[in-house]
Amino acid sequence: MKRDTLTRRQFLERTSASLAAASVVPRPKTSVGNPNALALHGGTPVRSKPFPDWPQTSEVDEQNILQSLRSHRWCTFDGKFIPQFEKAWAEKVGSQGAVLTPCGTHALHMALEILGIGPGDEVIVSPFTYIATIDAILLCYALPVFADSDLKTFQIDPDDIEHRITEHTRAILPVHILGAPAHMDKILAIARRHNLPVIEDACQGHNAEWRGKKLGTLGTIGCFSFQESKNLPGGEAGAIISADPDLIARGRIFRDFGRDPRRGSYTVRGTKYRISDFAAAVLMAQLMRFDDLCAKREKHAAYLREELKGITGLVPQEHYPESTRQNYYCFGFRYDKEHFSGAPRSKVIEALNAEGIPVTAIYPPLNKEPFIEANLNSRGFRAVFSQERLERYRAANHCPHNDELCGSSLYLPQTILIGERSDVDNVLEAFQKVQRNAEMLS
Ligand SMILES: Cc1ncc(COP(=O)(O)O)c(C=O)c1O
């Protein structure tokens, strides 16, 4: 996971920091080298070798990059891999078309812009997401209206959406979080009742499906990220997809400063969201290993879910029965300290990291992060929104279930799922070991 994710280097640094810290913690002499003692307290870690590296590459990635480089056609106008990947991705998900953008954040921003969302509008969105989703809305000088999260599925609570719709609402923006589908039947039904477009944030949801349809194809526009950490990585890249050819055309025009190629002039609002051919060259190569890796993730995640039934206090993210395929961008679960002798989540993370398991907390409650107030208090927002409207917004900005979710959730990166089954066994072994020793962490 991006930014909130530990990179391999950060993980090793943290792990060694934990080990260093452990050296000053008083502990029984028998801890050192003892496989039953926590690694945090000097015992032997469950795992000392790294999990598989990410992203993965082969000669095809290298050949494609070289081919693009040697073509001397590197930009959006003439790069050969850009139209190739746009066609391939649209076909893969079953959409009319795709428009590549420099990143998923820009895909979301472009989607909002080409749907005409702008200053004074409101967009209903999940607070349990990466900041990019919210940032895209704020870039339009629109208000992100947060619907609460569902504690079990980590998704936007579909039953908390409708009462938040006002005369200013212009779109619903569900996030398919950790690569699992949000409840699209309920969301689409609400959108139809209120004549609102749905922008799917499928930035983590490549290949996942709702009732057999790929995420991103259910709403008005789907947005993807191909950033390095994603299950289909291209360094930094993103895309919108849509079944509506007019929206695809508008996307192409928007990403080129509003220039309509049919007229040859700058006709509408736009900006430069063009992309370099190199990212598309890598993405074409990455597509070749994509299906195999997706299958591996699903297989190992199913095993992990099953085995977790035997460890109380670690409850995996639930999936709606209508979600026919998961992406497992991350494996998310909730931690219940009651089953870990009351040990705080931060201590359990530390202990698991010391055991060689890259577990991390997921998201902070974004609706409460200071950037929201910074935006509301900015000159731009104060020019657009009356003081009274902002006060009403603040008064309604509460998501108690999301607060609980942010305080109790954890995730494992997808790299623990793409190697051998023994990798997952190591994770389970570390969970059990930490639980057995939880009293030492309380
Ligand atoms: C849910 C979600 N939305 C949007 C984005 C933004 O994508 P990008 O990093 O490509 O801008 C991300 C990236 O991590 C994401 O996880």
Side-chain angles (χ1 to χ4, degrees):
M1 192 181 285
K2 202 178 142 199
R3 250 202 256 151
D4 304 323
T5 312
L6 292 183
T7 61
R8 171 183 298 277
R9 189 174 305 118
Q10 284 166 336
F11 174 65
L12 289 173
E13 278 166 10
R14 262 210 211 174
T15 308
S16 49
S18 305
L19 289 169
S23 66
V24 293
V25 173
R27 57 177 184 262
K29 282 203 176 68
T30 50
S31 289
V32 180
N34 177 354
N36 295 317
L38 289 174
L40 190 63
H41 298 156
T44 311
V46 167
R47 189 176 171 103
S48 44
K49 66 174 182 183
F51 285 95
D53 210 355
W54 191 261
Q56 300 185 341
T57 59
S58 69
E59 306 84 68
V60 184
D61 302 67
E62 291 170 21
Q63 281 160 13
N64 281 9
I65 283 274
L66 267 181
Q67 198 181 318
S68 179
L69 185 79
R70 288 176 180 154
S71 74
H72 298 273
R73 300 286 179 268
W74 299 343
C75 83
T76 304
F77 296 130
D78 52 14
K80 295 284 178 292
F81 283 102
I82 293 169
Q84 255 184 52
F85 180 74
E86 287 179 337
K87 186 165 177 289
W89 188 242
E91 278 173 13
K92 181 93 190 144
V93 295
S95 183
Q96 274 293 318
V99 183
L100 274 170
T101 58
C103 61
T105 312
H106 288 179
L108 286 160
H109 181 222
M110 186 160 100
L112 290 158
E113 286 271 358
I114 63 178
L115 287 170
I117 288 148
D121 294 343
E122 293 174 7
V123 176
I124 298 190
V125 68
S126 167
F128 196 69
T129 182
Y130 182 55
I131 187 170
T133 321
I134 315 307
D135 182 63
I137 299 168
L138 293 167
L139 277 178
C140 297
Y141 287 91
L143 286 175
V145 174
F146 296 100
D148 208 349
S149 298
D150 173 29
L151 261 176
K152 289 184 174 165
T153 60
F154 302 11
Q155 307 287 353
I156 189 168
D157 179 352
D159 300 324
D160 194 49
I161 293 177
E162 203 155 14
H163 73 103
R164 297 186 188 264
I165 293 176
T166 70
E167 58 183 312
H168 302 290
T169 308
R170 294 285 175 270
I172 305 176
L173 206 171
V175 182
H176 301 297
I177 204 68
L178 310 188
H183 201 301
M184 289 310 290
D185 287 6
K186 287 190 179 181
I187 293 167
L188 291 170
I190 296 168
R192 270 194 299 274
R193 274 201 293 280
H194 296 268
N195 199 22
L196 292 169
V198 172
I199 301 169
E200 293 177 71
D201 183 337
C203 285
Q204 303 180 356
H206 322 79
N207 216 38
E209 294 172 3
W210 180 261
R211 293 186 189 277
K213 283 189 81 181
K214 298 281 183 215
L215 297 188
T217 63
L218 295 126
T220 317
I221 297 181
C223 300
F224 289 93
S225 165
F226 305 111
Q227 181 265 342
E228 180 186 273
S229 72
K230 300 300 185 297
N231 291 4
L232 185 59
E236 297 281 8
I240 64 156
I241 58 164
S242 180
D244 181 347
D246 183 49
L247 287 173
I248 293 296
R250 278 198 256 165
R252 293 196 192 291
I253 292 169
F254 184 86
R255 84 171 165 190
D256 190 23
F257 297 107
R259 182 177 171 277
D260 187 340
R262 290 163 300 193
R263 297 195 205 163
S265 57
Y266 299 100
T267 49
V268 293
R269 183 177 152 83
T271 186
K272 185 175 172 182
Y273 277 179
R274 302 193 313 238
I275 178 175
S276 132
D277 198 50
F278 301 138
V282 173
L283 283 167
M284 280 309 290
Q286 293 287 325
L287 262 184
M288 295 174 72
R289 64 173 64 78
F290 181 65
D291 285 335
D292 285 350
L293 286 169
C294 287
K296 239 180 178 179
R297 278 185 209 101
E298 280 195 283
K299 186 175 95 178
H300 286 150
Y303 173 65
L304 178 53
R305 293 180 85 82
E306 191 55 34
E307 295 299 308
L308 275 174
K309 287 182 185 160
I311 306 179
T312 47
L314 300 179
V315 185
Q317 175 190 22
E318 274 183 29
H319 300 139
Y320 296 113
E322 296 87 346
S323 33
T324 36
R325 235 187 142 166
Q326 316 300 328
N327 174 42
Y328 286 106
Y329 169 53
C330 299
F331 188 98
F333 54 100
R334 270 190 308 133
Y335 166 69
D336 182 354
K337 67 178 178 188
E338 292 307 306
H339 297 276
F340 281 75
S341 306
R345 182 180 60 162
S346 56
K347 271 283 168 196
V348 165
I349 293 173
E350 239 183 277
L352 286 167
N353 289 173
E355 299 297 338
I357 309 301
V359 148
T360 315
I362 312 185
Y363 295 117
L366 283 180
N367 61 318
K368 294 171 153 184
E369 287 282 294
F371 79 105
I372 296 288
E373 273 305 316
N375 273 280
L376 301 188
N377 292 321
S378 70
R379 246 167 17 99
F381 271 77
R382 282 190 288 123
V384 171
F385 296 94
S386 68
Q387 204 50 40
E388 187 221 337
R389 197 157 156 213
L390 290 179
E391 280 315 317
R392 255 188 289 133
Y393 175 79
R394 288 183 177 105
N397 184 14
H398 297 292
C399 297
H401 290 150
N402 188 60
D403 294 346
E404 197 179 332
L405 178 62
C406 292
S408 60
S409 49
L410 293 169
Y411 81 88
L412 290 156
Q414 52 93 18
T415 46
I416 65 130
L417 302 172
I418 56 172
E420 302 306 317
R421 182 157 147 168
S422 55
D423 293 348
V424 181
D425 285 329
N426 283 163
V427 172
L428 289 161
E429 198 187 323
F431 284 167
Q432 283 159 342
K433 183 177 173 188
V434 169
Q435 190 166 48
R436 271 197 314 274
N437 289 279
E439 229 167 74
M440 312 277 286
L441 302 168
S442 316

